[in-house]
Amino acid sequence: MNIIKSNNKEFSMNKSIANKVVLPLLTAMIALPGVALAGDGAAEVTGAAATYVANNTWMLVATFLVFIMHLGFATLEAGLTRAKNTVNILFKNTAIIAIGLLTYAAIGFNLMYPGDFSIAGFFGFSGFGIGVSPENMMVSGADGVGIYTYWTDFIFQAMFAATAATIVSGAVAERIKLHSFLIFSTIYVALVYPWVGSWKWGGGWLDAKGFYDFAGSTLVHSVGGWAALAGVLLLGPRLGKYVGNNIKPIMGHNMPLAAIGVFMLWLGWFGFNGGSVLSADPAAVSFVFVTTSLAAAAGIIGAMALSWTLQKKPDLTMALNGALAGLVGITAGADVVSVMGSVIIGFLAGLLVVISVMSIDRMKIDDPVGAISVHLVCGIWGTLAVGIFSADHSVATQLLGVLAYGVTCFAAAFVIFFILKVTIGIRVDEEEEMGGLDVGEHGMAAYADFEVHNV
């Protein structure tokens, strides 16, 4: 007799009933989709079909976890900036997911995964739009066994696409024109992100050289980070941020919102990294969960320890960015480094993000949320760490990838932003910036029943 305790009440369940009723029921729930997939009237699910169903289900779960990350980015960015710009920030993050999904469907998916490259390993495009014939609906592994459906493959990858532009949003917050940002995001997400992504994930030239990036320390985070750096340099700092040689802190208006954002992102990262296993393999997925979480935890400790030592006070924003730094740092090698390696990678990422935030501020590069430090600096570190902590990969090859993406993405983003700057402009005027983009760009306020001091 087994005793199950719930809400301080005890319920008894005969083990034989569980064996005769519950387990067969669960087995049937798994078997039914497999029978349908078999399509030959088979009465029993095959091992391959069950694996196919499990893989596809996990990939879809991972997809909605990655989707949740966009809410995390929105709340984090809103919390770390001033109340007068909250509507603008939420609007940008809402538009970005729409832009990312639609452009990835129209062009990005077939640009990132072209199949055949017209310029050997460098550029390929398999046509506009998505859609396949019924016989090609299943994505198969090397052994010919189905992994997941074509549509699952698309929607999982599409959720990644908008993330690069979301990273840029935080760095240029509080002074960029909305329409200019949306134009930049459309071009960058539609063309640049999938094109450079094809070099590794599409089987391009960097993949052939052995460059490794499991879930996107470089392909997602640094790609967004390089664009953020280009945008910030062309925009300039917010009004009043730097006066002479003095640095004026501009505090975020809602720390609870920022903290919620980080925990939402951490939750989403289980899908971001765990889904990148591209199967429901229990050993691989659970291992990635462990390395991902330990790196985030170590990032918090590293950032907390160093910022507390330097600033003499415990800084919540540094601790929050430490978690993200650890997550970005482990993303490239979550499946190939050891558990202890993940802790070291996360801890060093936590130290790096503190040093980077302070250094960038001293260089008078204004990044309101620390996006450049988290996603670019720690993305580079995480990519190089694969060569350091994995015997199967080299630092030289990882560095080659970092340089290739850095030169290409920074140049592309700089050109797009520069053309926008000299044509329609990218920065709001001084009056609008002081009054807040919520009123200036949207004609509304995030906190209509509260008095907001515009400083």
Side-chain angles (χ1 to χ4, degrees):
M1 191 78 68
N2 293 340
I3 304 298
I4 301 175
K5 294 185 178 180
S6 177
N7 296 326
N8 297 320
K9 297 180 179 178
E10 294 186 350
F11 299 90
S12 63
M13 180 178 70
N14 189 286
K15 185 180 292 186
S16 64
I17 295 176
N19 290 336
K20 292 178 181 178
V21 178
V22 178
L23 291 179
L25 179 61
L26 292 174
T27 302
M29 290 172 65
I30 298 174
L32 284 174
V35 172
L37 285 170
D40 58 0
E44 295 182 0
V45 64
T46 65
T51 300
Y52 178 63
V53 172
N55 287 342
N56 200 74
T57 301
W58 164 238
M59 290 297 294
L60 290 175
V61 170
T63 298
F64 72 64
L65 287 171
V66 178
F67 175 79
I68 288 172
M69 295 179 73
H70 291 278
L71 174 60
F73 279 120
T75 54
L76 174 63
E77 183 183 345
L80 291 180
T81 52
R82 289 168 290 186
K84 63 183 180 180
N85 299 308
T86 303
V87 169
N88 180 258
I89 286 164
L90 297 178
F91 190 99
K92 285 189 299 177
N93 282 272
T94 301
I96 284 170
I97 184 65
I99 290 169
L101 287 172
L102 292 172
T103 58
Y104 205 66
I107 187 173
F109 190 51
N110 291 333
L111 186 59
M112 196 166 189
Y113 300 97
D116 297 321
F117 285 84
S118 53
I119 303 176
F122 185 75
F123 178 83
F125 181 56
S126 56
F128 292 97
I130 54 173
V132 293
S133 56
E135 63 269 20
N136 294 326
M137 282 297 298
M138 183 166 57
V139 177
S140 299
D143 56 2
V145 176
I147 304 176
Y148 40 74
T149 73
Y150 172 89
W151 303 114
T152 296
D153 188 26
F154 163 76
I155 197 64
F156 178 69
Q157 301 296 341
M159 287 302 167
F160 278 63
T163 308
T166 305
I167 293 165
V168 182
S169 174
V172 301
E174 302 200 290
R175 73 270 203 207
I176 195 167
K177 289 183 176 179
L178 178 62
H179 63 284
S180 297
F181 174 76
L182 296 180
I183 292 171
F184 169 83
S185 298
T186 302
I187 298 171
Y188 198 73
V189 173
L191 301 176
V192 180
Y193 167 78
W195 168 47
V196 297
S198 72
W199 296 351
K200 165 58 187 174
W201 289 345
W205 69 278
L206 276 174
D207 185 59
K209 288 185 176 295
F211 175 73
Y212 194 77
D213 190 354
F214 173 62
S217 285
T218 283
L219 271 73
V220 177
H221 297 284
S222 287
V223 166
W226 288 114
L229 179 60
V232 167
L233 291 177
L234 284 171
L235 267 176
R238 290 167 291 175
L239 294 174
K241 175 63 178 177
Y242 305 111
V243 180
N245 293 322
N246 297 320
I247 301 172
K248 178 188 175 183
I250 300 178
M251 305 304 293
H253 84 283
N254 194 324
M255 290 301 101
L257 204 59
I260 289 170
V262 168
F263 280 101
M264 292 296 292
L265 287 167
W266 192 338
L267 172 65
W269 234 284
F270 288 118
F272 199 88
N273 284 2
S276 294
V277 173
L278 301 181
S279 77
D281 183 305
V285 172
S286 58
F287 179 77
V288 167
F289 271 38
V290 170
T291 56
T292 298
S293 289
L294 290 179
I300 293 174
I301 298 301
M304 183 175 68
L306 184 58
S307 63
W308 201 336
T309 300
L310 296 176
Q311 298 174 323
K312 311 304 180 186
K313 294 283 186 180
D315 187 332
L316 173 62
T317 62
M318 287 295 191
L320 294 174
N321 272 336
L324 298 179
L327 290 165
V328 171
I330 196 59
T331 293
D335 65 329
V336 295
V337 303
S338 67
V339 170
M340 184 53 65
S342 71
V343 173
I344 297 171
I345 290 169
F347 183 79
L348 293 177
L351 300 181
L352 276 174
V353 78
V354 173
I355 295 169
S356 178
V357 166
M358 292 181 171
S359 299
I360 286 175
D361 218 13
R362 291 194 183 99
M363 290 187 285
K364 297 185 178 181
I365 298 174
D366 186 16
D367 179 0
V369 302
I372 296 169
S373 299
V374 169
H375 299 281
L376 177 55
V377 173
C378 293
I380 291 172
W381 158 240
T383 305
L384 296 177
V386 172
I388 298 171
F389 291 91
S390 172
D392 297 328
H393 303 91
S394 74
V395 175
T397 303
Q398 295 301 103
L399 179 60
L400 174 64
V402 167
L403 293 175
Y405 281 100
V407 170
T408 305
C409 294
F410 180 79
F414 193 91
V415 168
I416 297 168
F417 269 126
F418 183 78
I419 292 173
L420 291 171
K421 182 175 182 177
V422 299
T423 52
I424 62 175
I426 59 175
R427 182 161 183 157
V428 300
D429 59 40
E430 183 174 334
E431 181 181 356
E432 185 174 333
E433 183 175 344
M434 292 299 295
L437 276 62
D438 287 3
V439 175
E441 294 271 75
H442 304 273
M444 63 176 65
Y447 307 102
D449 294 332
F450 297 88
E451 181 180 353
V452 175
H453 298 280
N454 293 332
V455 292

